[in-house]
Amino acid sequence: MGIWEALAVFAAGIAAGTINTIVGSGTLITFPVLLAVGLPPVTANVSNSLGIVPGSIGGAIGYRRELRGQRSRVLRLGVVALIGGLIGAALLIVLPSDAFDTIVPVLVGLAVVLVAVQPWLARAVQRHLARRATADATDTAAPAGAHSDGASRESTPGEVTAGDDTPGDGPPGDGAADQPGARPRRGDRSPVLLLGLLLASAYGGYFGAAQGILYLSMMGLLLDENLQRLNAVKNVLAALVNAVAALFFLFVADFDWTAVLLIAAGSALGGPLGATVGRRLPPAALRAIVVVVGVVAMVRLLLT
């Protein structure tokens, strides 16, 4: 790898670390660059998975303020993410390389579509959260103890009635779910959410481009929480998936150490950058870059 190629890979690592923290599609930057410098697709994917781990961790640390009060949620969803990531990494190794060569253009295309429609998904999630907030405000304004049939009664000891402020179901960020003996929020245990996160994490362990968008979309629609705090959880889940996949690949896969170290150094700088300065960058510009690079990568993969 020449000096200019090394600089290109390093720069791609910085961009990927930044974009992964903000949106979650940095692989669409690093993967095409690794292909351009001559790495085979599977080796490029494995090397990328190893290299972006520091950026994922840095992004999660950068969002530590938004993670306060979400320990139980992160632990619960993190276990699912670890299992899914390991499944995806195993599939990458078990399936023949020809299968990856065939599947990855489809995955890149899916990732490009997700990045392109991300504003629409974000608006849909925000509308959903706004409706929930309105419904919660309406419920809170209802007379205490009132029921739909107009009757009222007192709760017996240990009984949970509709509208009670039970532990774990309080306002987002109150940390109630982390109190000893608190009941987990029902949304965190939703089978639909857990299955969706498992599949998204398996996709992340296998390839990973735009997995963060999948996480944000599912959690935004199924959890009563604001997007910044969900983005913090997304960064932790992505870091877990990338880490478990990287650990698995270390023992069973071939990778390019030069590419790994260059991407790791770049993403380590880009992760915290995405958590601070990245919020001020024009989202449309970042999205346009990711979509263009993704389309170029997909065309290259289809033609080779």
mmCIF file of all heavy atoms in Angstrom, residues 23 28 109-121 123 213 287-288 290-291:
data_model
loop_
_atom_site.group_PDB
_atom_site.id
_atom_site.type_symbol
_atom_site.label_atom_id
_atom_site.label_comp_id
_atom_site.label_asym_id
_atom_site.label_seq_id
_atom_site.Cartn_x
_atom_site.Cartn_y
_atom_site.Cartn_z
ATOM 1 N N VAL A 23 -24.886 9.174 12.077
ATOM 2 C CA VAL A 23 -25.924 8.489 11.297
ATOM 3 C C VAL A 23 -25.802 6.979 11.405
ATOM 4 O O VAL A 23 -26.754 6.277 11.689
ATOM 5 C CB VAL A 23 -25.853 8.915 9.807
ATOM 6 C CG1 VAL A 23 -26.940 8.232 9.004
ATOM 7 C CG2 VAL A 23 -25.965 10.418 9.671
ATOM 8 N N LEU A 28 -19.929 2.611 4.320
ATOM 9 C CA LEU A 28 -20.069 2.977 2.907
ATOM 10 C C LEU A 28 -18.952 3.914 2.457
ATOM 11 O O LEU A 28 -18.823 4.177 1.259
ATOM 12 C CB LEU A 28 -21.426 3.630 2.653
ATOM 13 C CG LEU A 28 -22.626 2.686 2.695
ATOM 14 C CD1 LEU A 28 -23.917 3.447 2.436
ATOM 15 C CD2 LEU A 28 -22.466 1.562 1.691
ATOM 16 N N GLY A 109 -26.665 -1.613 -1.667
ATOM 17 C CA GLY A 109 -27.840 -0.926 -2.195
ATOM 18 C C GLY A 109 -28.868 -0.653 -1.114
ATOM 19 O O GLY A 109 -29.449 0.451 -1.058
ATOM 20 N N LEU A 110 -29.095 -1.634 -0.237
ATOM 21 C CA LEU A 110 -30.020 -1.435 0.881
ATOM 22 C C LEU A 110 -29.536 -0.313 1.786
ATOM 23 O O LEU A 110 -30.325 0.537 2.221
ATOM 24 C CB LEU A 110 -30.146 -2.739 1.683
ATOM 25 C CG LEU A 110 -30.940 -2.667 2.992
ATOM 26 C CD1 LEU A 110 -32.390 -2.309 2.724
ATOM 27 C CD2 LEU A 110 -30.848 -3.997 3.746
ATOM 28 N N ALA A 111 -28.234 -0.301 2.064
ATOM 29 C CA ALA A 111 -27.682 0.733 2.928
ATOM 30 C C ALA A 111 -27.838 2.118 2.296
ATOM 31 O O ALA A 111 -28.171 3.096 2.980
ATOM 32 C CB ALA A 111 -26.205 0.447 3.205
ATOM 33 N N VAL A 112 -27.603 2.212 0.988
ATOM 34 C CA VAL A 112 -27.750 3.491 0.296
ATOM 35 C C VAL A 112 -29.199 3.982 0.381
ATOM 36 O O VAL A 112 -29.457 5.163 0.632
ATOM 37 C CB VAL A 112 -27.301 3.368 -1.176
ATOM 38 C CG1 VAL A 112 -27.723 4.602 -1.979
ATOM 39 C CG2 VAL A 112 -25.797 3.176 -1.264
ATOM 40 N N VAL A 113 -30.143 3.072 0.189
ATOM 41 C CA VAL A 113 -31.561 3.441 0.283
ATOM 42 C C VAL A 113 -31.892 3.926 1.691
ATOM 43 O O VAL A 113 -32.583 4.937 1.874
ATOM 44 C CB VAL A 113 -32.454 2.250 -0.108
ATOM 45 C CG1 VAL A 113 -33.913 2.549 0.209
ATOM 46 C CG2 VAL A 113 -32.291 1.928 -1.585
ATOM 47 N N LEU A 114 -31.377 3.221 2.706
ATOM 48 C CA LEU A 114 -31.642 3.618 4.085
ATOM 49 C C LEU A 114 -31.078 5.004 4.385
ATOM 50 O O LEU A 114 -31.723 5.814 5.055
ATOM 51 C CB LEU A 114 -31.041 2.588 5.050
ATOM 52 C CG LEU A 114 -31.772 1.254 5.150
ATOM 53 C CD1 LEU A 114 -30.962 0.271 5.982
ATOM 54 C CD2 LEU A 114 -33.156 1.434 5.750
ATOM 55 N N VAL A 115 -29.879 5.261 3.886
ATOM 56 C CA VAL A 115 -29.290 6.583 4.102
ATOM 57 C C VAL A 115 -30.113 7.651 3.395
ATOM 58 O O VAL A 115 -30.372 8.735 3.932
ATOM 59 C CB VAL A 115 -27.825 6.614 3.603
ATOM 60 C CG1 VAL A 115 -27.270 8.030 3.663
ATOM 61 C CG2 VAL A 115 -26.962 5.683 4.449
ATOM 62 N N ALA A 116 -30.549 7.360 2.177
ATOM 63 C CA ALA A 116 -31.313 8.336 1.392
ATOM 64 C C ALA A 116 -32.650 8.660 2.045
ATOM 65 O O ALA A 116 -33.102 9.816 2.027
ATOM 66 C CB ALA A 116 -31.533 7.816 -0.027
ATOM 67 N N VAL A 117 -33.318 7.648 2.631
ATOM 68 C CA VAL A 117 -34.645 7.873 3.224
ATOM 69 C C VAL A 117 -34.559 8.197 4.704
ATOM 70 O O VAL A 117 -35.592 8.333 5.355
ATOM 71 C CB VAL A 117 -35.560 6.646 3.009
ATOM 72 C CG1 VAL A 117 -35.691 6.317 1.535
ATOM 73 C CG2 VAL A 117 -35.061 5.432 3.789
ATOM 74 N N GLN A 118 -33.340 8.325 5.243
ATOM 75 C CA GLN A 118 -33.178 8.583 6.665
ATOM 76 C C GLN A 118 -33.940 9.819 7.145
ATOM 77 O O GLN A 118 -34.545 9.789 8.219
ATOM 78 C CB GLN A 118 -31.686 8.692 7.003
ATOM 79 C CG GLN A 118 -31.392 8.726 8.496
ATOM 80 C CD GLN A 118 -31.334 10.135 9.043
ATOM 81 O OE1 GLN A 118 -31.145 11.086 8.293
ATOM 82 N NE2 GLN A 118 -31.504 10.277 10.344
ATOM 83 N N PRO A 119 -33.956 10.938 6.374
ATOM 84 C CA PRO A 119 -34.751 12.084 6.836
ATOM 85 C C PRO A 119 -36.229 11.755 6.982
ATOM 86 O O PRO A 119 -36.887 12.188 7.936
ATOM 87 C CB PRO A 119 -34.520 13.133 5.737
ATOM 88 C CG PRO A 119 -33.233 12.748 5.100
ATOM 89 C CD PRO A 119 -33.203 11.246 5.148
ATOM 90 N N TRP A 120 -36.761 10.997 6.040
ATOM 91 C CA TRP A 120 -38.171 10.592 6.128
ATOM 92 C C TRP A 120 -38.396 9.708 7.345
ATOM 93 O O TRP A 120 -39.382 9.867 8.070
ATOM 94 C CB TRP A 120 -38.572 9.857 4.857
ATOM 95 C CG TRP A 120 -39.985 9.354 4.903
ATOM 96 C CD1 TRP A 120 -41.124 10.038 4.608
ATOM 97 C CD2 TRP A 120 -40.420 8.037 5.309
ATOM 98 N NE1 TRP A 120 -42.233 9.236 4.794
ATOM 99 C CE2 TRP A 120 -41.829 8.013 5.218
ATOM 100 C CE3 TRP A 120 -39.745 6.886 5.721
ATOM 101 C CZ2 TRP A 120 -42.575 6.878 5.535
ATOM 102 C CZ3 TRP A 120 -40.476 5.755 6.050
ATOM 103 C CH2 TRP A 120 -41.881 5.764 5.953
ATOM 104 N N LEU A 121 -37.461 8.758 7.584
ATOM 105 C CA LEU A 121 -37.584 7.896 8.755
ATOM 106 C C LEU A 121 -37.515 8.717 10.034
ATOM 107 O O LEU A 121 -38.288 8.489 10.972
ATOM 108 C CB LEU A 121 -36.472 6.841 8.757
ATOM 109 C CG LEU A 121 -36.563 5.734 7.707
ATOM 110 C CD1 LEU A 121 -35.332 4.852 7.757
ATOM 111 C CD2 LEU A 121 -37.813 4.886 7.925
ATOM 112 N N ARG A 123 -38.333 11.866 10.451
ATOM 113 C CA ARG A 123 -39.593 12.616 10.628
ATOM 114 C C ARG A 123 -40.709 11.706 11.102
ATOM 115 O O ARG A 123 -41.532 12.096 11.944
ATOM 116 C CB ARG A 123 -39.971 13.300 9.315
ATOM 117 C CG ARG A 123 -39.103 14.507 8.968
ATOM 118 C CD ARG A 123 -39.727 15.336 7.860
ATOM 119 N NE ARG A 123 -39.785 14.592 6.605
ATOM 120 C CZ ARG A 123 -38.825 14.600 5.687
ATOM 121 N NH1 ARG A 123 -37.713 15.306 5.901
ATOM 122 N NH2 ARG A 123 -38.942 13.918 4.563
ATOM 123 N N ILE A 213 -28.869 3.165 11.324
ATOM 124 C CA ILE A 213 -30.165 3.689 10.889
ATOM 125 C C ILE A 213 -31.269 2.696 11.231
ATOM 126 O O ILE A 213 -32.368 3.077 11.645
ATOM 127 C CB ILE A 213 -30.140 4.005 9.385
ATOM 128 C CG1 ILE A 213 -29.130 5.123 9.102
ATOM 129 C CG2 ILE A 213 -31.526 4.399 8.877
ATOM 130 C CD1 ILE A 213 -28.951 5.434 7.640
ATOM 131 N N ARG A 287 -25.042 13.161 4.112
ATOM 132 C CA ARG A 287 -25.864 12.133 3.476
ATOM 133 C C ARG A 287 -25.546 12.024 1.991
ATOM 134 O O ARG A 287 -25.460 10.923 1.431
ATOM 135 C CB ARG A 287 -27.343 12.466 3.699
ATOM 136 C CG ARG A 287 -28.287 11.325 3.334
ATOM 137 C CD ARG A 287 -29.710 11.663 3.724
ATOM 138 N NE ARG A 287 -29.801 11.946 5.141
ATOM 139 C CZ ARG A 287 -29.992 13.150 5.658
ATOM 140 N NH1 ARG A 287 -30.135 14.187 4.864
ATOM 141 N NH2 ARG A 287 -30.051 13.313 6.954
ATOM 142 N N ALA A 288 -25.339 13.145 1.336
ATOM 143 C CA ALA A 288 -25.035 13.129 -0.090
ATOM 144 C C ALA A 288 -23.722 12.418 -0.360
ATOM 145 O O ALA A 288 -23.606 11.624 -1.305
ATOM 146 C CB ALA A 288 -24.982 14.562 -0.626
ATOM 147 N N VAL A 290 -22.293 10.104 1.498
ATOM 148 C CA VAL A 290 -22.466 8.670 1.755
ATOM 149 C C VAL A 290 -23.206 7.994 0.596
ATOM 150 O O VAL A 290 -22.827 6.899 0.143
ATOM 151 C CB VAL A 290 -23.224 8.457 3.083
ATOM 152 C CG1 VAL A 290 -23.587 6.994 3.263
ATOM 153 C CG2 VAL A 290 -22.376 8.927 4.251
ATOM 154 N N VAL A 291 -24.262 8.632 0.099
ATOM 155 C CA VAL A 291 -25.038 8.041 -0.993
ATOM 156 C C VAL A 291 -24.190 7.933 -2.251
ATOM 157 O O VAL A 291 -24.193 6.885 -2.919
ATOM 158 C CB VAL A 291 -26.308 8.884 -1.267
ATOM 159 C CG1 VAL A 291 -26.977 8.432 -2.559
ATOM 160 C CG2 VAL A 291 -27.282 8.758 -0.097
#
